[in-house]
Amino acid sequence: MASQRVFPLSCVVQQYAWGKMGSNSEVARLLASSDPQARISEDKPYAELWMGTHPRGDAKILDSRISQRTLGQWIAENQDCLGSKVKDTFNGKLPFLFKVLSVDTALSIQAHPNKELAEKLHLQAPQHYPDANHKPEMAIALTSFQGLCGFRPVEEIVTFLTKVPEFQFLVGDNATAQLKQSLSHDSQAMASALKSSFSHLMESKKQLVVEQLNLLVKRISQQDCVECMACSDNTVRAGLTSKFIDVPTLCEMLSYTPSPSKDRLFPPKWSQEDPYLSLYAPPVPDFAVMKMEVPGSVTEYKVSALDSASILLMVQGTVTASTPTAQAVIPLQRGGVLFIGANESVSLKLTVPEDLLIFRACCLL
């Protein structure tokens, strides 16, 4: 059994082009707060903070007493730290990647397979699908955030096709007619019609998309009131009246936008049988992200032990962390990341009387 089962991490930042630039990015701000030596480049994007063992972002261990340099290396030699169920289920590997995203422009559309299809794709093309596991996802908004998840009810899509001729032009007359007819058929016919509509929109040539967007902007700008289009969705209405209208606005007419009153969403998985039909399926509850809010008047807070390894992120606050097995306290402040082995409890003592905001990712089987 490893003597040190709780230790701080230095995590990898991914600088994808869609991320917010420099210190405008929460990812960059978290990095700067946790590491005084970090230098933020204002002309570079800071898109994602990765906390885990992914080969392209294996977290470094910030404890000189531990011989392994990275979390992945340490877990490989200390698999019991995962918890018995997690260890057996996921072959001795940490099964989740905890992230913070700071988004400036629209991300690419993503579709993650379910477990059965992930295994098949991995066998067929490991160069494209290096992981045989499915990827259940949960997104929690730290600030105001808009996400498109799954498809709108077909009735709503048909309304947009009827009221927005530029949208119908890109989807095509045949796909539009198929979608309208599917309203009186079974779910399989509806899924097939959605597939056709979505494919036509996403495969439209860039020149055609630009032409139709320009026509749409011109038409809307000449109208006295957007309400004449009978748009019932405030988000789409705002997008239609903006001079910055783009392809994501068209996608909003197909995709479902979670209510602004909710602070989380669960992207569904797609199956081999029919990815469009499976977009309505609920997620697989393999993992959890716990949100802990502690008032600054509390001097000490205990993070309970779990039968799972977990990763803790300090979003706000300053504490020292201690455990029964640790030889010294671990200072943590905003942006600090802590690995906690299974069945380990952690005591957090507030060193500054300000509220704590903490997120903790784990796998609950």
Side-chain angles (χ1 to χ4, degrees), residues 134-193:
H134 57 331
K135 293 179 174 63
E137 290 187 323
M138 177 193 304
I140 299 174
L142 296 179
T143 59
S144 179
F145 188 85
Q146 182 183 18
L148 304 181
C149 182
F151 286 111
R152 293 177 177 273
V154 173
E155 294 83 358
E156 289 187 15
I157 299 174
V158 168
T159 297
F160 284 123
L161 287 167
T162 302
K163 300 295 182 179
V164 186
E166 298 83 2
F167 178 43
Q168 179 175 334
F169 180 89
L170 294 173
V171 170
D173 292 340
N174 292 337
T176 297
Q178 182 185 0
L179 193 64
K180 290 179 179 179
Q181 293 167 5
S182 73
L183 289 171
S184 59
H185 294 77
D186 59 20
S187 59
Q188 194 67 44
M190 194 172 290
S192 178

Side-chain angles (χ1 to χ4, degrees), residues 54 63 76 98 162 184 283 337:
H54 193 284
D63 191 323
F98 193 21
T162 302
S184 59
V337 181

